[in-house]
Amino acid sequence: MRTSDPRVVVGLDNGGTANNATLLDASRRFLVDRLVETPSRVLEGPKVAVEALAEAMENVLALTGTDPGRVAAVGLDTPGPASAQGVISSRGATNFSAPAWRGYDFRGAFEERIGLPVIYNNDGNAAALYAHHAYFGPEEAVLHSSVSAIVGTGLGGGVIVEGQVVKGAAGMAGELGHVFIPMDGLIGEGQSVPGCNCGFVGDVESVASLTGIEKNLLPYWLTRYPDHELARAESIRKAAKLVRGYGERGDPLALQLFEQQAMALGRLFTIAANFSDPDAYFVGGGVVEAAPHFRDWFLTKVREHTQLRAEQEAVVHFALVPDLDMAGSRGAAIAALETLPPL
Ligand SMILES: [Zn+2]
């Protein structure tokens, strides 16, 4: 694309409390280098939330002094489950609890509201797309493939092939959290096989997520360390949030717990290696938003537990998902930019 191309795209990351907005120009330069947040108001239902998205867009344009006439498309991402076209699941979704959200065409409604093309991705896929482009750069991105795993409340992420998000027939590709992994040698002595909110037993998210820590890992490790300070926390939910701080300080319980998470991600990446042999594996989320020594330890452990062939070892990259709080909006913007026809 020529640098004289005046077009810009807006990226909007729709979260439970805030919309995070960014702006990308046609030369692939982000015009915003920080979080630009406005209330998402998703709890107030779809109509209010669509208006809130429009406000988020107007706000980032005003903030950067950008003429709204230059906006050629908008990228939108939300947490799932939703279809590839941005229709919220008919069974509802955590962030979209009001009945009016069920089966709601969020992307379509927003597109109608603003009269511009809106390109949808789920938040895991958008962050994966940003990680991929940030790592390889705009020129090289199309030459490479990657798998991103982002450890949050659940386990999100995405699969990128030749610079593009793999969405799948129903929009459900890249649901890495619900891939089964072998539990043999991962779970400790007397530890039961962990269950996931999705109903599966022994998938990646059942171990590698905050929910997994709270429901599965921490209750087990506290039986092994009954005198641990975390056993006296007000609730298991609070204790689960504190465990990363213990990991940073080298606490043995926390390190064993996080090694289980690293092993789960390594086993997921081993499956990916045999499935599509990507160039790069990216890890993101709270566990790597930690002190550098702990973050590096975790990434090293993930790599140790990823079994690659010698030919793969020679070319593979392991890295962190950068700028995690902005990765969704930035990935959404990249996806929108890629849909623009040449001028
Ligand atoms: Zn699951």
Side-chain angles (χ1 to χ4, degrees), residues 177-179 196-200 203 205-206:
H178 311 299
V179 172
C196 178
N197 282 343
C198 75
F200 287 170
D203 65 10
E205 182 171 304
S206 72

Side-chain angles (χ1 to χ4, degrees), residues 116-310:
L116 287 165
V118 175
I119 290 81
Y120 179 82
N121 278 284
N122 74 44
D123 56 358
N125 284 347
L129 186 64
Y130 175 62
H132 183 91
H133 280 255
Y135 189 83
F136 289 112
E139 305 295 322
E140 296 275 311
V142 294
L143 305 174
H144 299 286
S145 58
S146 65
V147 172
S148 291
I150 300 166
V151 185
T153 310
L155 191 277
V159 177
I160 310 295
V161 173
E162 294 172 350
Q164 304 282 322
V165 174
V166 176
K167 291 192 174 184
M172 288 167 189
E175 291 291 338
L176 305 177
H178 311 299
V179 172
F180 289 111
I181 50 169
M183 286 289 151
D184 194 29
L186 190 159
I187 52 176
E189 201 188 325
Q191 184 175 11
S192 50
V193 177
C196 178
N197 282 343
C198 75
F200 287 170
V201 170
D203 65 10
V204 185
E205 182 171 304
S206 72
V207 176
S209 65
L210 182 62
T211 309
I213 293 179
E214 183 186 325
K215 284 177 57 186
N216 303 314
L217 307 190
L218 192 54
Y220 167 72
W221 285 107
L222 286 174
T223 66
R224 305 302 299 262
Y225 292 87
D227 300 327
H228 198 280
E229 277 175 34
L230 286 174
R232 297 192 293 278
E234 197 178 310
S235 67
I236 191 78
R237 170 161 288 192
K238 288 213 164 133
K241 287 186 178 160
L242 294 172
V243 71
R244 186 180 83 196
Y246 283 85
E248 290 176 329
R249 296 192 291 277
D251 176 77
L253 174 151
L255 291 183
Q256 283 174 285
L257 182 153
F258 283 113
E259 179 145 13
Q260 287 191 313
Q261 291 203 324
M263 198 184 287
L265 296 181
R267 290 180 175 198
L268 169 69
F269 289 165
T270 303
I271 292 170
N274 286 298
F275 217 95
S276 66
D277 187 22
D279 297 84
Y281 301 89
F282 300 122
V283 178
V287 69
V288 295
E289 302 281 296
H293 75 276
F294 182 66
R295 184 187 71 198
D296 295 346
W297 171 82
F298 188 79
L299 191 63
T300 304
K301 284 288 173 194
V302 171
R303 185 167 187 160
E304 249 174 61
H305 290 292
T306 305
Q307 291 176 35
L308 302 176
R309 294 166 202 273

